[in-house]
Structure formats: structure tokens, C-alpha cells
Amino acid sequence: RARIEREKAGRHNAQARLADAMEGSTEGIVLTDAAGRIVAVNRRAAELLPGVPLGPGDDWDRAAALDAPDAQTAAALRRAPPAAAEFKLADGRWLRVSRSPARDGGAVAILSDVTGLKAKEAALAETNRRFAAALDNMAQGLALFDAEDRLLVANRRALTLLRLPPEAAAPGAAWRELTRAVMRAAGHPEAEAAALAHDRIRFAARRTAGTRLRKTPDGQVVALSFSPTAGGGFVATWQDVTERERAQARIAHLARHDGLTGLPNRSLLRERLAAALDSGRPFALHCLDLDRFRGVNDGYGTPAGDRVLAAVAERLRALAGSHDLPARLSGDEFALLQADAGPAEAERFAAGLAEALAEPHDLDGDALVVRAHAGFALAPADGAAADALLRHAGLAAERAKAEKDAWPRRFHPDMDAAQRAHRSLEAELRRALAADALELHYQPQVDTVAGRVSGLEALLRWRHPVRGWISPAEFVPVAEQSGLIVPLGEWALRRAARDASGWPGRVRVAVNVSPLQFRSAGLGDAVLGALRDAELPAGRLELEITESALLEDGDAVRSVLHRLRAGGVRVAMDDFGTGFSSLATLRSFPFDKIKIDQSFVRVPADGVPQADAIVRAVAGLAAALGMRCTAEGVETEAQLGRLAAAGCGEVQGYLFGRPRPAGEVPGLIARIEAGFAVDA
């Protein structure tokens, strides 16, 4: 009995402790047996389910179903443990019921009021929704990365700016791979993409705030900004700044360019001059002002004057090379920096500039010619500072204006004396031309295979009554600069055709044509007129031109040459090998002859193999194209032998005769051909 009493007391104590535990719990507790009947319930359970009969002996399934909001929840509550369900009570509270199995086959149901938790979850969900909405509606792309450079979150704008599909920016994506994918998606060339990706990867690794700009091949500019986070990660943001960059570029452009013409202004020109001087490379600065431009504004109005200024600017742009810089200094004053130009290049450019600016302007049906007075200075010879070059080129232009001549002038320290001497020589050349005081001397071109003279080249000579013989190298540039080259060239054509008409019928005459002569619309008529007046067959006239003529105004030159060749006139390319010597030039026009420059004939001993290889190549090319090949500057038998071995059968040089007056040509031909007959 004592043992039984002790066991009863123990059970009573255990039940009391269980009751105390259940009643002291903040959760509702319901115990059921294996049959599903309630065996114990605490007060909290009754509070959580008011009106539901939760007493010992009641059926749990029936009691639980009484307050279930729907059949699905009731079914979940009746499922065998373990099971859990949440539902909203009629009074608005949220209740969670969790059932766990007991050892005796019953179950323990824990009832929890999760209304506060549900409110927090709802608030968090709303916060997340708002955060997601804010992210996805940002103008910037944003991505958050952890300390291991793994993506945590990215908004839709980031995917749009980076041109990536959603799967490429999934959480967990590595920054390195994401960056490479971005560069590929933007269309950067492979090498450029790799360099950009490497730069961005290193930038992120430094964990310092900063910004990088990236321009895509299609012109979009994206600004990438980094900001480190406290946990060792970083935030990356992307912004499309294309319009901002364009606006800034426009502002910078307006500050350094002329508003009317769009040309660089004096400030930008001075900067470029200083940079060009620092580079140490030669260049030319051309300055010009329009002649009597005020009369345009007065006679036609300011809008018409503005149209003329804009047209002048367009002509300067058309003449400028890719590295040149045209500029408007003020009013009717312009300038142009000609890159990589020596004296010859500057003079040729200045000539083209003068002619282009002399073209008429159409002002409401009126053809108005507005000429420009131009001058140029060469760097560094004529000035080692930007302001000095501007001043010197301006002085040269002023000299041209003072002399009322549209031909450009180059600055010289002794400009006054030099200009006087230049003008004196020009005037004397005009008088000599008018008085028929110039001469043509002729140098033979010999066909060494046939053993006879095939032609003679006409060369200008001027015997001054006081100075004696004046070199063509001195007076021909004066003729070109003054425009006398056109009448001088026409005179040479007429005289050469007349002299050649008295030679043997198989002997041709070759006449050099300056590139400037092609700018005269009357060149074709002058050639055909000279042939007609001398009654010389067109096939006996050979025009020698340099490649520069085709390079300067190729279409116009080819048009004239095609007309003349159609009439029977032969055309030779002179000085081949000294200029571009482009195969495209040979293909652009069917030349009759290629003349190899004397620099490939008169070479030192160590240069003979290379020179002979070039001669062989040119001779072979000429033969393949159906052209003759002539070598200039032959002075020795050794040179002649080398040329013959290289396949060049026509030569010209002092070995066969110096240039001689027309009266000595018949005897010269006879002597040369007699020499071949003796050798035979």
C-alpha cells in the first residue's frame, strides 16, 4: 500500500507539474489520445479559440474544424501529426496550429498567435515590394555584390543598360564573368573588350569609390561608379550619360569654334600650333583674308556675306587633309595648319587654295568671285612659337595683298627684298615670253635595241641678256606661282610641235606638262591646236606628266588625258619611283610610257643591286601593261649595260647627248645612229 501510495503521489505530482507547465505556457496546448479525444487543454488554448469546446473528452477533429475558415484549413488540422496550419480567425487574428505525435499514439497541438509576426511579414513584404519597385524604376542600373564579388541583387535597368539577358545577372554571378559578358554584349572588338574588362575588374578589386566612362562602338556612353560597402562588398551603378557627354562636347566645341562657319577659332588654332611645334614635325601655316569682302556685305547684305563666309569655310574643309586644321580668325580672315608639309607641299597646297577660293559664288543668280590674299609660314624655320607663326604668315598675306596678287606668299625675313626680286624676275619672264626670247633644247631618247633615236624631250631654256642662262629650277616656279606657266606651257607646245615637224617621221617629241596647266580649261585645245598648226601627227607628240598631277585633281586630269589620247597623243608618266608610284595610278590611265627616274640609274656601288632589281621590276611591269620603259640620267657605258641587262631598252642621258638647240637635232640624230651602225 505504501508503494501504491507513493506511485499515486508521484503521478499526482507529475500531473501537477504538467498542469503548471501547460498553464504557464504563453502558447495554447491541447493533448489528444490515440483516438483523437482531448485529454488535456490549457487556458491559453481556450483564449485563442474562444467558443470552441476544448474540454477533456471532446473530439479534436470536430473541435478544430469548428473555427477553421475553410475546408482546406480544416483538412490540414485533421491530418495526422506532424502537421501544421495557419489561418485567420474571425476577429482578424492569425493562428498557427502545429501538431506533433506523442509516444502513446496521441498528439500534442501547439496553438500560437502569430498576428504580430504576420504583420511584420506583411510589412517586410511591402518594404521589399517598394524596394523592388524603386530599384526597377531607377534611371540608373544598380547591382550589389558581396565580399567575394558575387552578385546579390541587380535591377532591371542594369540589365537594359548592360544589354544582358536576365539569366546572365542571376544572384551568385561573379563580377569577373559579368564584366566580360557586358563587354561582349556591347560589341567591343575582342582586344578592346579584354582590356576594358581587365580595367573594370582591377577597379572593383581596389574597393575605392570612383567612376569609369565607357563608350560602346555604337556611340553610347555609360558611366560606371563603384562604392564599397561595410561588409567588404561593393555597389556598382551604371548610368547612360550619352546626352550629357554630347552636351558637354557641344559646349566645349562652341567655346573653341566659330559659330557661323563651325571652323576652329583662333584659340584652338593657337593650341594646335603649340602642339605641332612641340612634336618637332615640319608643318605650314597659311593665312588669308578675302579681297574687298566688305563690298559683298554692302552690295548684297549681311546674310549673303555670311553665305560666302560659310562657302569659303567649306572649301577650306574640302582642301584640308585629315591632319590639317582650317580655322576662322575673325571677320574675313582665315587660316589653315597644313601638317607634315615642307616648302614644296606648302606651295602646292597654297596654289590649290588660291584656285579653289577664286571659284565664283552663286548669290541669287549672280556669279561673284571673292579672291583671297594668302601667305604662309613654315615651322620651325619661320617661327618657333605659335604667335610668331601667326604673325609671320599674316605678314606674308599682307604682302600678297599689298602687291594685289592672289598668288599666296611665303614669309621670309627679307620679304621685301625677296618679293622685289621675285616680281622683277616675273616681269622679265613675262617680257621674255612676249618677245619670244625663250628657247627649247632637246635631249635624245634612244632605243638601244633598234639602234636609233626614238624621240627627244623638249626642255625650257632662258638666256637672260644680263644674267646669262637662268636655270629652269629658278624661273619655272616663278611661272607656276604667277600663273605664267599656262601661257609658257602653250608656247612650249607650239614651239616643240613646229620643231618636230622637221625631224624624221619616226621621231617623237616629248613635252613636260605642269600639274598647274591641267587646271586651265584650255589645255586640251592648246595641245590639239599646236598639232594642227604645225601639221604634226598626234602620235608624234608625247606629254610627260608626274603622278602628282593625277593625285591633285585626278578626275579632271584623266578627263583631259583621255580626250587627248583618243586623238592620238601619247602620254608618259615622268619620274616614276620618286613619288607614290602607285600601281593604282598606272591602272587608272593607259599610259604609253613609264620613265624611270635617274636616281635609280646613278647610284653608288653598294646600291646597284637594289636599284637594278627595281628597274627590272618596273620594266617587267611596263611590258606586262603594254607600255614602254625609259630610264633617265644615263651617263656611262656601265650604266647602259646594267639597264640593258635589267630589260630597259630605251634610255636618255648625257651618254648620248646633252640638250641641244633645235637646229642641232638632225646632226645629233645622225651622229647617235651612226654610232650604232659602226658598232654593228
Side-chain angles (χ1 to χ4, degrees):
R1 282 196 297 271
R3 188 183 307 111
I4 291 171
E5 290 299 327
R6 286 197 299 273
E7 289 175 358
K8 288 181 179 180
R11 286 196 296 273
H12 179 75
N13 290 337
Q15 290 172 354
R17 288 196 294 273
L18 177 59
D20 290 342
M22 291 179 63
E23 291 302 326
S25 174
T26 58
E27 309 292 330
I29 302 174
V30 180
L31 305 179
T32 60
D33 59 17
R37 290 186 298 274
I38 296 174
V39 296
V41 61
N42 67 354
R43 189 183 310 107
R44 181 59 177 162
E47 293 173 354
L48 293 174
L49 293 173
V52 178
L54 293 179
D58 289 328
D59 183 83
W60 164 255
D61 290 343
R62 181 185 63 80
L66 288 177
D67 203 43
D70 52 47
Q72 185 177 1
T73 303
L77 292 174
R78 287 195 296 269
R79 283 200 302 267
E86 291 181 355
F87 55 90
K88 193 174 184 179
L89 300 174
D91 59 5
R93 291 176 301 154
W94 277 88
L95 188 65
R96 176 187 295 153
V97 179
S98 302
R99 297 184 68 202
S100 303
R103 285 183 295 178
D104 61 358
V108 178
I110 305 297
L111 288 71
S112 303
D113 186 344
V114 293
T115 305
L117 180 61
K118 283 292 184 181
K120 291 179 180 179
E121 289 179 350
L124 180 60
E126 178 63 16
T127 299
N128 288 339
R129 186 190 66 77
R130 292 176 180 175
F131 177 67
L135 280 179
D136 290 336
N137 287 280
M138 288 177 61
Q140 295 177 319
L142 182 143
L144 176 64
F145 291 83
D146 62 18
E148 296 180 352
D149 292 353
R150 295 285 177 180
L151 179 64
L152 298 175
V153 64
N155 65 355
R156 281 200 301 265
R157 181 60 175 160
L159 299 180
T160 301
L161 284 175
L162 302 179
R163 308 177 186 184
L164 294 177
E167 59 271 16
W175 167 251
R176 179 182 298 271
E177 298 305 321
L178 184 66
T179 301
R180 290 171 177 165
V182 167
M183 299 306 168
R184 289 193 298 269
H188 293 288
E190 184 175 348
E192 179 183 327
L196 287 170
H198 182 67
D199 174 70
R200 303 306 185 266
I201 292 167
R202 290 182 59 192
F203 191 21
R206 289 200 294 266
R207 292 299 192 272
T208 56
T211 301
R212 287 284 197 276
L213 291 180
R214 175 176 60 88
K215 187 174 183 178
T216 62
D218 60 5
Q220 183 188 36
V221 183
V222 177
L224 168 62
S225 298
F226 288 96
S227 181
T229 60
F234 64 90
V235 175
T237 59
W238 294 268
Q239 184 176 3
D240 187 341
V241 295
T242 306
E243 289 305 318
R244 185 190 74 187
E245 292 297 309
R246 287 175 180 170
Q248 291 178 349
R250 284 194 295 270
I251 293 172
H253 179 87
L254 291 173
R256 306 169 72 195
H257 290 76
D258 174 54
L260 174 63
T261 64
L263 291 178
N265 58 18
R266 185 184 294 270
S267 175
L268 179 54
L269 176 63
R270 186 180 285 109
E271 291 178 18
R272 286 287 300 273
L273 286 172
L277 287 166
D278 289 341
S279 72
R281 299 178 65 87
F283 65 91
L285 175 64
H286 301 262
C287 284
L288 57 100
D289 61 58
L290 304 183
D291 185 24
R292 295 189 295 271
F293 178 73
R294 181 176 297 178
V296 178
N297 285 334
D298 295 341
Y300 293 89
T302 302
D306 289 345
R307 292 205 304 273
V308 170
L309 292 173
V312 169
E314 287 304 314
R315 294 179 187 183
L316 289 178
R317 287 192 184 94
L319 289 170
S322 58
H323 299 293
D324 300 341
L325 184 76
R328 184 185 180 196
L329 302 181
S330 64
D332 58 357
E333 295 181 354
F334 293 83
L336 188 141
L337 188 161
Q338 182 188 8
D340 296 323
E345 294 85 1
E347 288 175 0
R348 284 196 297 270
F349 183 87
L353 182 66
E355 186 166 347
L357 294 179
E359 288 294 322
H361 299 270
D362 183 5
L363 292 182
D364 302 325
D366 290 345
L368 178 67
V369 175
V370 180
R371 298 187 181 276
H373 300 293
F376 64 91
L378 298 176
D382 296 338
D387 289 337
L389 282 171
L390 279 167
R391 185 174 64 257
H392 293 165
L395 287 173
E398 288 178 7
R399 174 59 57 184
K401 185 175 183 178
E403 296 178 351
K404 302 186 184 301
D405 196 333
W407 200 260
R409 295 289 189 250
R410 178 193 170 182
F411 170 79
H412 190 276
D414 300 326
M415 180 167 281
D416 291 339
Q419 288 292 352
R420 283 195 297 271
H422 178 95
R423 290 181 64 82
S424 174
L425 187 61
E426 177 187 331
E428 292 186 81
L429 181 59
R430 288 183 186 276
R431 287 194 293 270
L433 181 60
D436 201 21
L438 296 171
E439 301 178 29
L440 286 181
H441 287 193
Y442 297 91
Q443 186 173 36
Q445 298 171 342
V446 180
D447 185 337
T448 58
V449 177
R452 62 185 185 182
V453 175
S454 57
L456 295 103
E457 180 180 359
L459 300 169
L460 272 172
R461 294 293 183 263
W462 181 15
R463 190 190 333 239
H464 191 274
V466 177
R467 297 174 55 185
W469 290 106
I470 298 179
S471 168
E474 183 177 352
F475 70 81
V476 169
V478 173
E480 290 182 332
Q481 294 172 15
S482 62
L484 281 174
I485 193 64
V486 173
L488 183 59
E490 293 178 358
W491 175 88
L493 283 167
R494 291 193 303 271
R495 175 60 61 86
R498 189 184 70 186
D499 291 344
S501 64
W503 302 343
R506 57 180 171 76
V507 179
R508 296 184 298 272
V509 63
V511 180
N512 290 281
V513 180
S514 167
L516 296 178
Q517 290 178 256
F518 284 97
R519 298 174 184 172
S520 169
L523 176 60
D525 293 336
V527 172
L528 298 177
L531 292 172
R532 183 176 59 252
D533 294 344
E535 299 182 350
L536 183 72
R540 293 186 58 195
L541 175 63
E542 189 169 80
L543 301 181
E544 294 189 1
I545 69 169
T546 59
E547 189 175 14
S548 60
L550 286 169
L551 293 175
E552 290 177 4
D553 194 2
D555 291 340
V557 172
R558 279 189 289 271
S559 176
V560 175
L561 292 179
H562 277 295
R563 176 191 173 194
L564 294 174
R565 200 169 188 275
V569 177
R570 298 168 59 86
V571 182
M573 178 183 285
D574 197 11
D575 298 334
F576 189 78
T578 59
F580 289 94
S581 301
S582 168
L583 298 182
T585 303
L586 293 179
R587 191 180 65 177
S588 69
F589 182 81
F591 290 93
D592 296 284
K593 178 191 291 187
I594 300 174
K595 296 191 70 175
I596 301 175
D597 187 72
Q598 60 186 354
S599 60
F600 296 100
V601 177
R602 292 183 288 192
V603 294
D606 58 352
V608 168
Q610 297 87 345
D612 286 353
I614 293 174
V615 172
R616 280 194 299 272
V618 175
L621 176 64
L625 295 175
M627 305 175 186
R628 294 181 63 82
C629 180
T630 301
E632 298 179 295
V634 180
E635 297 181 351
T636 66
E637 292 288 349
Q639 292 171 348
L640 179 62
R642 285 175 35 225
L643 292 170
C648 185
E650 186 172 270
V651 297
Q652 175 181 344
Y654 288 172
L655 179 63
F656 295 99
R658 293 177 178 272
R660 305 305 302 165
E664 299 181 20
V665 167
L668 180 63
I669 294 175
R671 179 180 60 78
I672 293 172
E673 294 183 349
F676 278 101
V678 170
D679 293 340

